[in-house]
Amino acid sequence: MVAIEAAALFAWMRRRGRARLAWSLLPNLASGACLMLALRAALSDGWWGWVALCLAGALAAHVADLAGRLRDR
């Protein structure tokens, strides 16, 4: 579902002439996807390492998002 959402957002923003803004949403979408994967792993009694890796991925995506926002300032 996240991939479908991303494709729809990219298509809509490209059509409106804001392709650069669409790329800035990528870390935000990635962090959401990692959080959903961590939740799925936790609820399905997955190995704790998968949950930790997904959470670390979400953290990395959030840090990348914050760095991009600070750089644009």
Side-chain angles (χ1 to χ4, degrees):
M1 290 305 291
V2 174
I4 293 170
E5 178 185 12
L9 280 172
F10 276 96
W12 181 66
M13 289 185 158
R14 251 200 182 152
R15 201 170 68 196
R16 297 185 63 99
R18 296 181 178 193
R20 186 174 185 275
L21 182 61
W23 285 106
S24 68
L25 292 175
L26 196 58
N28 200 354
L29 289 170
S31 66
C34 286
L35 288 173
M36 285 191 287
L37 286 172
L39 180 64
R40 179 184 165 106
L43 291 177
S44 65
D45 284 335
W47 178 55
W48 67 268
W50 291 119
V51 177
L53 283 173
C54 292
L55 290 175
L59 175 66
H62 276 297
V63 169
D65 185 37
L66 288 174
R69 289 175 193 255
L70 288 174
R71 184 180 51 235
D72 289 343
R73 244 181 180 197

